[in-house]
Amino acid sequence: MRIKIIGTGSFVPEKALSNAALEQMVETSDAWIRERTGIGSRRITETGTTDMAVRAARRAMEMAGLSPGELDLIVVGTSTGDCLFPGTACEVQAALGAERAACFDLSAACSGFLFSLNTASVYLEAGTYRTALVVGADTLSKTVDWSDRGTCILFGDGAGAALLERTESGAEPEAGGRKSEDAGRENVDRPAAGERESRMGPFLMRADGGRGGVLRCQAAPLRNPFIKEENAGDFGYLSMNGQEVFRFAVKTVPEALEELLAKAGVPAEDIRYFVLHQANERIIASVAKRMRQPLSKFPMNLEHYGNTSGASIPILLDELNREGRLGRGDKLALAGFGAGLTWGATYLVW
Ligand code: COA
């Protein structure tokens, strides 16, 4: 039994907010932002998380050629849904008309897609469901204090999706995502036939709630007959200790990747791409250095989108897929990190 990705999709809003535009809003500069983060622009939604999630999901469904009625499970990794309830996954289900699908959201901030992917794969592995739509979608723009130059330069909005299917080993129908197999590949040895079967896992997921205060966004305050309105406090804005988060990321991500690859029995040299959460170019470069792997194996799109939280990994995966840069049998290591603190990694053979 194998779990594989049979379709990917993504969506970013049209409206772009460049570093030059931010220079007009806070005391910052394009040069500072690029040097410290690698970010040049970010996209900002005017329609919200559900709309972006639905658009990304539709693209993944189209690629896979799967009809909504065939969907068994929808998991949306988001911490910025349009509503507290219903969950975004239920709204996506309604928009797609996927009436049979079980639906829930998963809250793990920027690790949300990765944790959702792993969670969905366990349901498939257990035989509970055969197909799953996994979406990472976030609207960080509504949590950002646009007068705080320490955070407002970092984040953007977007959504990405992956469709998973369980197949019996050896029975692998050709998927839409495979049409571009080997197209545009750089010089890598092709894996032997036996190693080319698509599969997902192992994975790992970690959390350290004790350090949660370094990246936080308070939800609506308590409001009841026992609590006076004036004691309710501020809420809704993201607060962050940037240097602590930076240190956390450059330590935990390489450790997680090393543990993952040891579990998978695959040397780092064999990994075609490390698909990392797109938070900061310097974090990604530091991980590459610690892994003693060339930066060319760490694709990036954060220059254009900034940190799109739970959406960053599936957007990047979809771009790699649509550009024909993923060939059947390519070994990928995904890694995410974010508020919680949460972090994790997933191994998959494309
Ligand atoms: N423009 C210009 N100057 C800025 C600025 C901005 N947008 N933001 C902060 N500064 C200033 C600070 O006020 C400080 O000035 P000072 O030296 O006069 O006090 C100086 O730049 C250095 O600030 P510092 O916070 O030390 O910068 P840094 O090198 O750590 O970079 C981040 C800040 C936020 C870019 C960096 O810490 C980071 O990327 N951390 C990880 C954040 C992250 O990825 N979060 C999401 C995780 S999912």
Side-chain angles (χ1 to χ4, degrees), residues 12-268:
V12 288
E14 229 171 87
K15 284 267 164 71
L17 188 67
S18 66
N19 291 349
L22 279 172
E23 284 176 356
Q24 309 303 312
M25 296 165 58
V26 289
E27 202 184 325
T28 191
S29 68
D30 177 54
W32 192 96
I33 300 172
R34 283 184 189 275
E35 192 194 313
R36 303 286 174 122
T37 69
I39 298 167
S41 185
R42 65 287 294 143
R43 303 295 184 88
I44 306 295
T45 182
E46 294 172 292
T47 58
T49 300
T50 295
D51 177 64
M52 295 190 294
V54 169
R55 289 169 189 264
R58 283 210 171 106
R59 288 173 184 175
M61 301 278 290
E62 266 168 36
M63 181 187 280
L66 203 77
S67 70
E70 293 176 277
L71 261 186
D72 296 329
L73 174 68
I74 301 174
V75 186
V76 178
T78 185
S79 48
T80 53
D82 298 341
C83 308
L84 283 176
F85 46 84
T88 308
C90 292
E91 296 193 318
V92 170
Q93 182 217 35
L96 296 180
E99 284 157 19
R100 285 179 51 245
C103 303
F104 61 88
D105 290 1
L106 190 151
S107 171
C110 298
S111 308
F113 174 79
L114 200 85
F115 280 29
S116 300
L117 188 72
N118 296 339
T119 303
S121 77
V122 174
Y123 282 102
L124 268 53
E125 192 87 46
T128 312
Y129 301 121
R130 189 181 66 81
T131 60
L133 169 67
V134 181
V135 183
D138 268 309
T139 305
L140 265 283
S141 62
K142 70 181 176 185
T143 72
V144 160
D145 174 354
W146 288 100
S147 66
D148 174 15
R149 69 176 183 173
T151 55
C152 75
I153 57 155
L154 296 175
F155 301 100
D157 304 329
L163 256 172
L164 308 188
E165 185 183 43
R166 168 169 50 84
T167 54
E168 299 315 313
S169 193
E172 293 222 337
E174 210 53 38
R178 304 279 159 63
K179 279 187 191 130
S180 54
E181 181 181 332
D182 293 335
R185 301 185 74 198
E186 290 136 37
N187 295 328
V188 284
D189 292 334
R190 295 178 68 182
E195 294 173 27
R196 295 182 72 204
E197 205 170 12
S198 307
R199 62 183 183 277
M200 187 177 302
F203 61 77
L204 60 95
M205 301 194 281
R206 300 270 188 276
D208 181 358
R211 285 196 286 164
V214 300
L215 181 51
R216 193 178 157 80
C217 184
Q218 182 77 39
L222 290 175
R223 203 174 47 200
N224 62 48
F226 301 106
I227 291 182
K228 289 199 172 74
E229 195 74 32
E230 58 264 30
N231 294 334
D234 195 17
F235 71 95
Y237 283 134
L238 177 154
S239 68
M240 180 180 77
N241 180 332
Q243 289 184 4
E244 279 296 319
V245 174
F246 195 96
R247 274 195 286 273
F248 147 72
V250 298
K251 183 172 186 304
T252 57
V253 175
E255 284 175 0
L257 283 169
E258 271 159 14
E259 192 181 332
L260 177 85
L261 296 183
K263 245 173 141 176
V266 176

